[in-house]
Amino acid sequence: EPEVTQTPSHQVTQMGQEVILRCVPISNHLYFYWYRQILGQKVEFLVSFYNNEISEKSEIFDDQFSVERPDGSNFTLKIRSTKLEDSAMYFCASSGRPQETQYFGPGTRLLVL
Amino acid sequence: AQTVTQSQPEMSVQEAETVTLSCTYDTSESDYYLFWYKQPPSRQMILVIRQEAYKQQNATENRFSVNFQKAAKSFSLKISDSQLGDAAMYFCAYRQPRSGTYKYIFGTGTRLKVLA
């Protein structure tokens, strides 16, 4: 069964450094999402992406964040200058159409020191 | 704004027994979707069950069923004949079906332990 994959599974970085989290959505899906979960808190929506454009973003998704679909398979989340409070589990998801069920990846655990 | 609350951070159940995980939500919308997702350790979230708010009948998927109480804004998950493989974090989620936003709103999750 097709799955969403994410790399790396874990990443440790220094505050102020740039990180890129990578996702490979299910191959025929067109809608992509990033969510994050700070330890012990809710899973929160960050951004949705379709047709090479951001469809919707939350207040968390400020200028430090960007998303890109650099090729036909990858979907990336970049944090330009990481802060301590960016430490979280980041989940990628995809769906065939926006009203369909979203399929999630296993997450990337980001630790900012 | 819509919110989802899971008041049980952790639950335990004996193998072969039944357990119910609670979820309440708040919305002013009349049409929406509700979901239960399961996340085994170090694995991705997978969909367990989905309920459309306009359907009065409770959704079921094999050993998994929901008790959807729209007026009470309650959406609990019942797992019957619990198995060791059911041990996971369970997330309740809400989504509006209308165009404009398809984001999920999640609860904080319930960690289910299954005891042999």
Side-chain angles (χ1 to χ4, degrees), chain B residues 42-102:
Chain B
S42 302
R43 300 279 302 278
Q44 53 255 71
M45 280 194 279
I46 55 176
L47 180 68
V48 175
I49 202 161
R50 159 180 157 148
Q51 174 83 42
E52 289 90 348
Y54 65 86
K55 289 186 178 178
Q56 293 187 341
Q57 187 172 8
N58 289 325
T60 62
E61 285 289 339
N62 301 314
R63 296 182 296 107
F64 298 87
S65 62
V66 297
N67 183 5
F68 173 48
Q69 301 289 327
K70 191 172 183 179
K73 296 180 183 175
S74 171
F75 182 61
S76 60
L77 175 70
K78 185 170 83 169
I79 307 173
S80 304
D81 186 25
S82 298
Q83 301 175 359
L84 294 177
D86 295 333
M89 183 73 91
Y90 287 80
F91 292 100
C92 178
Y94 165 100
R95 199 197 78 200
Q96 287 175 226
R98 300 290 176 230
S99 62
T101 180
Y102 297 101

Side-chain angles (χ1 to χ4, degrees), chain A:
Chain A
E1 187 173 330
E3 289 185 339
V4 176
T5 60
Q6 290 184 243
T7 55
S9 58
H10 294 79
Q11 179 147 8
V12 181
T13 190
Q14 294 292 322
M15 190 170 57
Q17 295 296 304
E18 175 183 286
V19 295
I20 297 176
L21 309 183
R22 291 182 168 79
C23 169
V24 179
I26 293 173
S27 62
N28 61 345
H29 283 183
L30 300 175
Y31 294 83
F32 314 116
Y33 312 84
W34 283 102
Y35 293 81
R36 79 172 187 190
Q37 185 182 29
I38 295 172
L39 189 63
Q41 297 186 23
K42 295 175 185 278
V43 177
E44 301 171 292
F45 169 78
L46 291 179
V47 65
S48 59
F49 188 86
Y50 167 70
N51 199 26
N52 285 320
E53 288 186 350
I54 289 174
S55 309
E56 183 182 6
K57 60 182 181 179
S58 71
E59 60 275 9
I60 302 168
F61 195 88
D62 60 22
D63 292 344
Q64 293 299 312
F65 291 88
S66 62
V67 288
E68 191 179 31
R69 189 153 161 83
D71 54 44
S73 59
N74 289 285
F75 177 51
T76 62
L77 174 69
K78 181 162 70 175
I79 309 174
R80 288 191 184 82
S81 178
T82 49
K83 306 183 185 73
L84 296 177
E85 54 266 35
D86 293 328
S87 296
M89 179 74 92
Y90 289 80
F91 295 104
C92 173
S94 69
S95 65
R97 292 183 295 172
Q99 61 269 43
E100 292 178 351
T101 299
Q102 294 175 21
Y103 291 83
F104 287 82
T108 292
R109 185 170 296 284
L110 176 65
L111 178 61
V112 182
L113 302 176

